Amino acid sequence: MVEPKKKAEIKISGMHCASCALNVEKTLQDVEGVEDAQVNFGTEKATVEYDPDKVELGKLEEKVQEAGYGVVNERVTLKVGGMTCAMCVQAIEDVLNKIDGISQVTVNLAAEKAYVTYNPLMTSVTMMRDAIEGLGYEYLGIEGELDEDAEEMARQADLNSKRNRFLVAFGVSIPLMIIMFLMIPLPIPMTYFMLLVSILPFIYVSYPIFTAAYRSLRNRALNMDVMYSLGIGVAYLSSVMGTFNLILTPEFMFYETALMLAGFLMLGRWLEARAKGRTSTAIKALVGLQAKKALVIRDSQQVEVSAEEVQLEDQVLVKPGERIPVDGEVLEGESYVDESMITGEPIPVLMTPGKNVVGGTINQNSVLTIRADKIGKDTVLAQIIKLVESAQGSKPPVQRIADRAVTYFIPTILTIALVSFLVWYFLLGSTLLFGLTVLISILVVACPCALGLATPTAVTVGIGRGAELGILVKEGEALETSEKISTIVFDKTGTLTKGKPAVTDIIATDIEDRALLMLAASAEQNSEHPLAEAMVVKARDNDITLLNVNKFDTYTGKGVSAKVQDKEVLIGNRRLLQAYEVEIPEQEDKISQMEAEGKTAVLVAVNNRFAGIIGVADTLKTSTIPAIVELKKMGIQVVMITGDNQRTADSIAEQVGIKKVLAELLPPDKAFEVKRLQDQGETVAFVGDGINDAPALAQADVGIAIGSGTDVAIESGEIVLIKDNLLDAVAGVQLSRKVMGRIKLNLFWAFAYNVILIPVAAGLLYPTFGITFRPEYAGLAMALSSVTIVTLSLLLKGYMPPAKKLELQKK
């Protein structure tokens, strides 16, 4: 049936004039499948009529963004209960995608969440809720708006229900099996006894399975519950028919088998639910870092409010031992603050008036008064939580393999089960009992759950582990791309180097090194030049008291002169000293050597006599060389790119062991060089600070943006490092490779369980070895498959990337 034309309203941002509106209009009209597009600059809305068979709403929004404009959508995370397998995921994704206004849906079976991007002009959460409940699943509310205690109670109640059901199943089926095996005398015929004892437990244990199957069939979908219901339903019905000699004879005794199969399914789902509850512990831990209460000063009174009620510019009082509830500036007090949750550094930082603090960190020993500059969702911690949640809801491309397989999985299994039964019974002449045993075993052993859990559990745990390590992976696709990285390009200034000049050499003549630095730093203390700041910092670091300056003059492009106590001090380059006719005796070689090493040679004269040289350079970060060494061990080519001059760039590259250097480039040129590497077949990661490096970060296959500990909402990078440590960039690549390796291992086992066990259940081993795969074994194997996948993913919680180990060892 041909779908009718649809009409969508898209809210657009970034239009500055009527020509922008015309540009968007033309962009939309050029899309195949668009019948008409009208853009209203005044209301900032585009009204589009389109053919849903040819183009989707998400594609239209993508075209608007490609044209350089923004699409104003909302994103919501819905909690969904009752999902059991990959087919449930597909059913929910399909029904939500059919709602006009929804442009993207990703359902995570492991986290039991649906991540929905939607147009608030066209749809609402209420419509999504109705669609989910219409399928028969539970709509549990919006993530973040749920009461945590209520959510935990609901989860515990579900676990208790599953546990009670499998205990009843095994508590009844095992004694029945023993009675049958030992042929224990009974007061009534065995078949009637088995029926009477098993019927109520069977109804109790299998009720959720049959209701889920009915719900699925009502919505014209096939899922695991349908297959399992067929398996245990055929087993129990055959037993009843055999008991009363209705077509079948009393040898068809599957009462204990049907009950045990239902028990194995409940056991598997109980173990799976327990394990899934641990996959998102990273998010729970991050949420737990948020302060619940805040003490604010209002009308000169201290008032305790919930953290959500704090307003911008509020003065917040934080006592020793309390978590800081907001991001802001210290107004009063001095105290050490434990910032390890953000920076990873175990040593507390002394906070004094004027310094900035981050919400979630712990005030240690004294009272602080803080002005609230960022509250609620704008705090650093809230941004980190949002990034991690968003990433956990994304799918790497490898998931498409499982999605494709699941689409054909259940119809294929049903066909195999039916064909196997017909072949054994009609062609090979087996007994009807054997044929039914094969049919039941195939229906029960097949496990689409494992396929559905393989990717989301690994992504959820892996991205959560990254957050714990200070590595924020913003989307699942970045994991898969990072695994393929062949070249990493580093920006120099602020990435490989500290980005701030520092004194590296002091060469004094006829004066002590300490005295030379004291005079130079004293003279420069009134200057704002970066080289001057470097000398002042060096002096203070060495506990040198700076002297008073009576006179201070600057000479553009040359240096400064000053009178420090009774001494005339000159600081600058050759031209300044030559202007004052100061001789530079036999120092040219040392000056040239410094310059060859990428340093700036600052010459100092005292009372018109040459006093020495101070070398200043942008020094390397301590993590730079170990990071480059680790990357080379991984077989990744390293390139340095910079806007600095070639000689300085070559000097830095030689120090760190980088062979390929691209210097004297503007920010757009950096992006061009990244593109050129990609054109040569390289998969490129770019590591930069996320400001002037934004074009290159966006161009790279994977952009790795270095945060500053407080600036985590960097848009350009796919991976954001909370700490300014290059070993974390390497650890991010190593973590991505580990997670992708685990996804592939999970998918291997998910397919292996089915590929190996389905033929065995179909009787493959019977002709040669006389081995019959009992339905009970099939049920156990099915339960173990999902548990295996989730357990393999949970092992990622303890993974420590080698680069991270190296970083910790250095501390």
Side-chain angles (χ1 to χ4, degrees), residues 489-490 492 639-646 649-650 653 658-665 669-670 672-674 676-677:
V489 179
F490 285 94
K492 179 182 79 71
V639 178
M640 186 178 82
I641 199 165
T642 180
D644 213 337
N645 66 75
Q646 189 71 52
D650 288 339
I658 295 177
K659 302 297 183 187
K660 188 167 185 176
V661 180
L662 303 169
E664 300 178 19
L665 299 174
D669 298 330
K670 294 178 183 180
F672 175 77
E673 293 297 338
V674 169
R676 193 154 68 172
L677 286 166

Side-chain angles (χ1 to χ4, degrees), residues 332-653:
E332 296 177 17
E334 289 188 4
S335 182
Y336 283 95
V337 173
D338 178 1
E339 292 192 317
S340 57
M341 52 78 70
I342 289 289
T343 65
E345 300 297 333
I347 301 171
V349 179
L350 178 63
M351 291 297 174
T352 56
K355 290 192 174 181
N356 292 317
V357 292
V358 180
T361 56
I362 301 172
N363 181 27
Q364 290 203 322
N365 62 306
S366 187
V367 178
L368 290 175
T369 302
I370 298 161
R371 183 186 66 230
D373 294 334
K374 289 182 180 179
I375 57 174
K377 62 181 177 58
D378 295 323
T379 63
V380 170
L381 187 55
Q383 289 177 40
I384 291 173
I385 293 169
K386 184 179 177 182
L387 278 176
V388 176
E389 284 183 331
S390 176
Q392 288 181 336
S394 62
K395 288 183 181 180
V398 71
Q399 173 68 15
R400 293 175 195 145
I401 300 171
D403 289 345
R404 249 192 319 268
V406 164
T407 304
Y408 304 104
F409 187 86
I410 292 178
T412 302
I413 297 303
L414 291 173
T415 302
I416 291 172
L418 184 59
V419 169
S420 297
F421 170 75
L422 295 174
V423 167
W424 278 109
Y425 185 62
F426 290 105
L427 294 183
L428 300 179
S430 74
T431 63
L432 182 57
L433 179 62
F434 183 84
L436 282 174
T437 301
V438 167
L439 176 71
I440 296 166
S441 296
I442 294 172
L443 290 173
V444 167
V445 80
C447 188
C449 287
L451 286 170
L453 289 167
T455 300
T457 53
V459 168
T460 301
V461 178
I463 287 175
R465 179 57 177 156
E468 291 171 351
L469 297 172
I471 302 162
L472 304 180
V473 182
K474 291 169 67 176
E475 54 189 39
E477 189 169 347
L479 292 170
E480 190 160 343
T481 310
S482 295
E483 186 201 23
K484 302 169 186 172
I485 289 170
S486 57
T487 297
I488 288 192
V489 179
F490 285 94
D491 172 52
K492 179 182 79 71
T493 307
T495 303
L496 293 173
T497 65
K498 293 177 181 176
K500 294 182 73 174
V503 173
T504 57
D505 302 86
I506 300 174
I507 302 172
T509 60
D510 299 329
I511 187 174
E512 290 184 353
D513 290 356
R514 191 176 176 85
L516 178 69
L517 180 60
M518 179 178 65
L519 289 170
S522 298
E524 293 279 25
Q525 64 184 306
N526 295 318
S527 173
E528 295 181 357
H529 195 282
L531 298 180
E533 185 183 350
M535 285 182 265
V536 173
V537 169
K538 182 70 172 178
R540 287 176 177 158
D541 288 346
N542 285 274
D543 297 323
I544 293 174
T545 302
L546 302 184
L547 305 174
N548 291 328
V549 177
N550 299 322
K551 185 178 68 172
F552 179 81
D553 290 305
T554 62
Y555 304 91
T556 305
K558 295 179 181 178
V560 302
S561 67
K563 189 167 186 178
V564 181
Q565 289 185 338
D566 59 345
K567 296 181 175 66
E568 294 286 347
V569 180
L570 294 172
I571 306 171
N573 55 25
R574 291 182 186 84
R575 286 187 295 161
L576 179 65
L577 269 62
Q578 286 167 357
Y580 278 84
E581 298 181 349
V582 177
E583 294 184 7
I584 307 172
E586 301 175 0
Q587 299 296 324
E588 285 299 331
D589 288 346
K590 292 176 182 175
I591 295 171
S592 297
Q593 183 181 347
M594 277 191 192
E595 290 175 344
E597 292 171 354
K599 301 171 183 175
T600 300
V602 180
L603 310 182
V604 183
V606 179
N607 293 333
N608 270 34
R609 286 176 57 86
F610 184 78
I613 310 168
I614 297 177
V616 181
D618 184 6
T619 54
L620 290 170
K621 293 176 182 174
T622 55
S623 61
T624 297
I625 293 176
I628 302 303
V629 170
E630 279 292 304
L631 289 171
K632 287 183 175 179
K633 284 182 188 175
M634 295 164 65
I636 296 175
Q637 177 188 208
V638 182
V639 178
M640 186 178 82
I641 199 165
T642 180
D644 213 337
N645 66 75
Q646 189 71 52
R647 187 161 73 167
T648 301
D650 288 339
S651 172
I652 294 292

